[in-house]
Amino acid sequence: MLERYRREVTPTKRGSLDENLRLKAMAQRPFARIRMSALTSSHLAAYRDERLKVVSGATVNREFNVLSHAIDTARREWDVYLPANPCTLVRRPPQGRPRNRRLQGDEEQRLFAACRDARNAWLRISWHLPSKQVCGEARSSDYSGRTWTSSDASPS
């Protein structure tokens, strides 16, 4: 089921590269060898607990999101009978605290200097943008009228 989902559904998604890697890794896990009709929430809880020893809760949640969608797709579109999606019965780990960091001291100047000297053209132009825009504090209306001609920056 994971292989079919990876072949048929994943390529249609925007994040297909990451999802493809996740599915390949999950296919190597012991729960992936269990028939769908025999898959239970206890199998998935054991997988969750094992993964939490190695990765963060957010990573496990992303993996469970993919797995849950694969199971739902199999139930709805591929005539796989399961009374319920076992993923929905497994407690999800907490996401963790969101990042909340601001640039301090001369970090902004050092960041823009590094962008200005970068080989990547998009990084080189980013030092021309207002710092609010780079840090994500600006509303889109603050800079939506901005064009390459209204700036001395250009992507080339």
Side-chain angles (χ1 to χ4, degrees):
M1 184 266 315
L2 288 178
E3 180 58 32
R4 181 176 178 184
Y5 183 85
R6 189 176 71 77
R7 270 193 336 265
E8 295 179 17
V9 178
T10 297
T12 66
K13 294 179 159 187
R14 194 177 63 186
S16 63
L17 293 176
D18 290 336
E19 186 168 290
N20 197 24
L21 293 173
R22 275 192 185 89
L23 287 165
K24 281 183 177 179
M26 280 192 275
Q28 304 304 311
R29 300 291 179 172
F31 80 85
R33 295 189 244 323
I34 298 170
R35 284 192 353 251
M36 284 278 292
S37 59
L39 187 65
T40 65
S41 58
S42 61
H43 293 118
L44 298 178
Y47 169 71
R48 174 203 61 205
D49 296 341
E50 198 59 36
R51 288 295 286 156
L52 284 172
K53 294 176 184 174
V54 182
V55 298
S56 73
T59 300
V60 173
N61 283 332
R62 281 190 285 275
E63 292 173 357
F64 263 76
N65 289 340
V66 171
L67 182 59
S68 181
H69 189 257
I71 291 170
D72 283 341
T73 300
R75 289 175 66 212
R76 279 193 214 110
E77 298 181 15
W78 301 333
D79 296 326
V80 172
Y81 175 75
L82 280 177
N85 185 336
C87 289
T88 60
L89 305 173
V90 178
R91 219 171 2 103
R92 300 285 185 103
Q95 285 287 99
R97 293 186 335 217
R99 294 185 184 117
N100 189 14
R101 185 180 183 286
R102 302 279 184 223
L103 297 176
Q104 298 174 347
D106 68 338
E107 288 180 324
E108 184 177 20
Q109 287 78 27
R110 292 185 325 182
L111 176 64
F112 286 134
C115 289
R116 190 176 47 247
D117 299 336
R119 290 187 301 187
N120 183 310
W122 294 108
L123 282 176
R124 278 198 314 270
I125 63 160
S126 67
W127 73 273
H128 289 280
L129 300 173
S131 62
K132 276 186 166 182
Q133 185 175 345
V134 172
C135 297
E137 297 172 3
R139 294 183 180 96
S140 62
S141 61
D142 293 343
Y143 54 89
S144 61
R146 222 173 139 99
T147 63
W148 290 118
T149 56
S150 68
S151 168
D152 58 349
S154 118
S156 57

